[in-house]
Amino acid sequence: MELNFGINLSIILFIIASGIIWFFCTKLSTLVDFIDVEFNLGSAFGGTMILAIVTNLPEIAITINGAIKGDIDMATGNILGGIAIQSTLLALFDFASRKQSKPLSTLTSSETSILQGLFIVAILTIVIIGHLFRNTLLFARTTPPELLIGLMWIASIFAMKKFQKSSPLPLKEKAKTRLSKTSALIGLVVVSIIILVFGVLLEASSSAIAAHYEINGVIFGATVLALVTSLPEISGGLAFVRNKSYQPIISDIFGGNVFLPVLFLPATLITNNAILPSANNVNIYLTSIAMLVTLVYLSGMIIKSDKRHRGMGTDSWIALGVYFIAMIGLFYL
């Protein structure tokens, strides 16, 4: 989807789409909490299967649209840059939950959360390995690393379900709500469609703005577009903080980051070109940043500090420092 409107109208559409996505994503926390309890999914599993996919609908739209047009560079930057920025968003949620005495990483520390983080690091390692393959290595319109990423995502879902059963989290009490199972599922579908439609509009208006101001496509995808398409995670995460429901936050972020690299598979199927071997140095740089930030929070979950410093845990301050220094370095590649 390409917009041929003027820059002023593109900016207006950008603001409207952002606001609508923000508003409807605040409804996700209530819907997902209700579905978790009613269908006995568990917070970690529900976060991975529902939030991780629904809140990444804008990225799905961008990747598929880019693959159809044969322009996958911005989508690749958006996927890998999105993982880095979404991981760093945990610092925002850590600060938002500052009324709690313990940092967010301690509040959400569990076997399933740590397992999700390890799967992210493993999948991002495969992304880097996939980059080293020849771009002529295609089998059935895909490559072995992309197939392996898809299989690892499926394995992560089953592994988390198994770990959650062996080490269950405290059961949530049913909140007073007018929702029923049917209305909750219908509501989830409606919210998903709205996020998808306005996510596409958001991407189109963002691209028009970037083209007008002559911003580099890959860097734009990894920074501005990655931040914009993280609006569902931001609004949903803040809603969970308000509800004092912290486990779905980490499940949404980590679960979404495990899922995002899977989008390389349909992109390769559509274009019949090996995406990972064609990735440039900026994309590999972004992958490394995402791994570093993830490892910082994994360390926080293992250490389980009881102290905050100026509203956040030490791991959040380190993650912010890593991310902002890395973003500066991005312009020197």
Side-chain angles (χ1 to χ4, degrees):
M1 179 179 180
E2 294 183 2
L3 295 179
N4 295 318
F5 303 132
I7 184 61
N8 292 334
L9 186 55
S10 294
I11 292 174
I12 292 173
L13 289 174
F14 174 88
I15 295 172
I16 292 174
S18 301
I20 290 175
I21 289 176
W22 179 281
F23 174 77
F24 280 98
C25 281
T26 59
K27 308 299 180 183
L28 280 177
S29 61
T30 302
L31 290 171
V32 172
D33 270 347
F34 181 83
I35 292 171
D36 279 347
V37 173
E38 291 296 321
F39 291 91
N40 195 29
L41 296 178
S43 295
F45 189 75
T48 298
M49 290 298 295
I50 302 173
L51 279 175
I53 295 177
V54 172
T55 56
N56 281 305
L57 283 172
E59 286 87 349
I60 294 173
I62 291 168
T63 302
I64 300 302
N65 189 44
I68 292 173
K69 294 190 299 184
D71 180 15
I72 202 66
D73 288 342
M74 184 176 291
T76 302
N78 182 226
I79 291 171
L80 298 175
I83 296 174
I85 199 169
Q86 287 181 27
S87 297
T88 310
L89 284 177
L90 291 174
L92 170 64
F93 304 137
D94 193 9
F95 183 75
S97 63
R98 60 191 179 278
K99 290 183 179 179
Q100 299 290 324
S101 59
K102 297 179 181 179
L104 182 66
S105 56
T106 301
L107 294 173
T108 58
S109 178
S110 66
E111 288 184 346
T112 52
S113 297
I114 294 172
L115 184 64
Q116 281 179 308
L118 291 175
F119 268 107
I120 294 173
V121 175
I123 287 176
L124 292 178
T125 301
I126 296 173
V127 169
I128 294 176
I129 293 173
H131 173 66
L132 301 176
F133 280 79
R134 297 192 302 271
N135 55 16
T136 56
L137 184 64
L138 279 171
F139 176 76
R141 298 180 69 93
T142 188
T143 66
E146 289 158 353
L147 286 173
L148 185 56
I149 288 172
L151 291 173
M152 287 197 70
W153 177 64
I154 295 173
S156 72
I157 294 172
F158 284 102
M160 278 189 303
K161 192 63 176 176
K162 182 177 180 180
F163 268 75
Q164 193 164 273
K165 286 181 178 179
S166 61
S167 303
L169 295 168
L171 292 175
K172 300 177 184 175
E173 295 182 359
K174 290 189 178 182
K176 293 181 180 179
T177 175
R178 296 180 180 179
L179 290 172
S180 64
K181 289 184 178 181
T182 302
S183 64
L185 291 174
I186 292 174
L188 185 65
V189 171
V190 171
V191 169
S192 300
I193 293 173
I194 291 172
I195 293 173
L196 180 61
V197 171
F198 283 93
V200 173
L201 182 60
L202 193 62
E203 180 272 335
S205 58
S206 299
S207 297
I209 294 169
H212 178 81
Y213 291 107
E214 299 181 350
I215 304 173
N216 179 276
V218 177
I219 294 178
F220 175 77
T223 53
V224 178
L225 189 56
L227 177 61
V228 166
T229 53
S230 294
L231 285 173
E233 286 81 4
I234 295 173
S235 59
L238 292 176
F240 280 121
V241 170
R242 287 193 296 271
N243 294 338
K244 296 183 180 180
S245 181
Y246 302 109
Q247 189 61 45
I249 296 174
I250 204 74
S251 300
D252 177 21
I253 298 298
F254 276 10
N257 288 349
V258 171
F259 170 74
L260 279 175
V262 177
L263 296 179
F264 289 126
L265 181 58
T268 299
L269 288 171
I270 293 171
T271 62
N272 197 29
N273 291 317
I275 303 298
L276 291 179
S278 303
N280 58 30
N281 291 337
V282 173
N283 292 320
I284 301 305
Y285 180 77
L286 293 169
T287 305
S288 302
I289 296 169
M291 292 174 70
L292 280 173
V293 174
T294 302
L295 288 171
V296 168
Y297 279 109
L298 279 176
S299 300
M301 291 178 188
I302 294 171
I303 295 171
K304 297 181 182 179
S305 172
D306 291 331
K307 296 181 179 180
R308 289 177 179 265
H309 304 280
R310 295 186 180 276
M312 297 194 301
T314 303
D315 51 355
S316 291
W317 285 112
I318 294 174
L320 278 178
V322 169
Y323 182 78
F324 284 115
I325 292 172
M327 287 299 101
I328 295 172
L330 187 64
F331 294 92
Y332 292 91
L333 294 179

